[in-house]
Amino acid sequence: MTRLLLIGPPGAGKGTQAERLALAFGVPAVSTGDIFRYNVTNETPLGLEVKSYLDAGAYVPDTLTNAIVADRLQEADAASGFLLDGYPRTTDQVAELDRLLDAEGTQLDVVVLITADTDEVVTRLLKRAAEQGRADDTADVIRHRLDVYAEQTAPLIDVYSARGLVVTIDGLGAVEEVTERILAALAERGLRASTTTL
Ligand code: ADP
């Protein structure tokens, strides 16, 4: 049973690392950003509801986001653990996740904070914009996403630090190196991946 959470600014590499860590630990990566984008692309009712928030780089309202995650964590593959990427992002979402886990009699094992300075994340996101054309990767929207992160999500680091859960990982360097750093930090905390060949 491994329950992990990845936190860090947009562009820190959470999504990339989430996929790799999920594979290593044999748990599903649950990315609220991916879930929302999938629904927007497929023009589902949820997608139509959240599109304007995503395009503006604003957070989707907590009630909606919380309901999506509660549903997702009920699915069979999450019974043996999960890796949350991009949730929780607000103090209300922390409270909801606490409630969900309490109801199951479980808790998070570790919160992995991936750091990267603002210049680096802006460079990365603009590069991704050129490659993938994500609607929220324009310079203005990126700036707004960074502000929203600083205002609403960065305070969560203190909340989880106070619980002794946070390991901080430097997100600069090759993808493989960053994964190695995370795996090493998790192993120090007694969390060993089932596969290390990535
Ligand atoms: P990034 O971390 O690169 O900004 P994500 O793919 O994690 O991107 O999220 C993209 C967008 O999806 C966010 O800007 C926001 O609109 C929405 N979103 C994702 N997760 C949450 C969340 N936990 N609460 C509210 N909105 C969210």
Side-chain angles (χ1 to χ4, degrees):
M1 286 289 211
T2 312
R3 295 182 195 82
L4 301 175
L5 195 159
L6 289 191
I7 194 166
K14 295 185 302 291
T16 306
Q17 297 300 330
E19 291 299 328
R20 298 168 64 81
L21 296 169
L23 208 64
F25 282 93
V27 296
V30 174
S31 158
T32 41
D34 284 351
I35 294 171
F36 290 140
R37 270 189 297 281
Y38 173 87
N39 281 277
V40 169
T41 303
N42 291 288
E43 299 181 344
T44 66
L46 172 66
L48 297 175
E49 199 169 344
V50 302
K51 184 178 184 331
S52 60
Y53 298 105
L54 264 74
D55 286 352
Y59 284 174
V60 172
D62 285 335
T63 45
L64 200 53
T65 308
N66 284 335
I68 300 295
V69 173
D71 270 1
R72 180 62 187 88
L73 294 184
Q74 291 299 321
E75 284 178 38
D77 63 341
S80 58
F82 53 77
L83 190 159
L84 283 169
D85 159 22
Y87 180 94
R89 284 194 205 215
T90 66
T91 47
D92 273 4
Q93 292 178 12
V94 171
E96 171 63 8
L97 181 61
D98 285 344
R99 205 187 56 72
L100 285 177
L101 295 178
D102 278 351
E104 303 282 323
T106 62
Q107 51 194 359
L108 292 172
D109 295 310
V110 173
V111 174
V112 178
L113 166 64
I114 305 183
T115 62
D117 65 32
T118 305
D119 286 350
E120 171 71 13
V121 302
V122 171
T123 305
R124 288 183 187 181
L125 293 170
L126 288 172
K127 181 162 173 265
R128 184 170 74 184
E131 291 165 359
Q132 300 176 10
R134 236 176 81 167
D136 60 349
D137 279 344
T138 62
D140 281 354
V141 178
I142 289 169
R143 208 169 306 118
H144 184 61
R145 282 158 61 204
L146 288 168
D147 286 347
V148 175
Y149 173 82
E151 217 171 85
Q152 305 229 32
T153 304
L156 273 47
I157 297 163
D158 286 343
V159 172
Y160 285 122
S161 291
R163 300 184 192 180
L165 288 178
V166 176
V167 298
T168 303
I169 304 293
D170 180 0
L172 293 196
V175 168
E176 297 78 14
E177 272 171 50
V178 176
T179 308
E180 286 307 319
R181 283 177 206 146
I182 298 173
L183 289 175
L186 293 177
E188 261 179 43
R189 296 213 160 204
L191 292 176
R192 295 194 181 276
S194 42
T195 324
T196 46
T197 45
L198 291 172

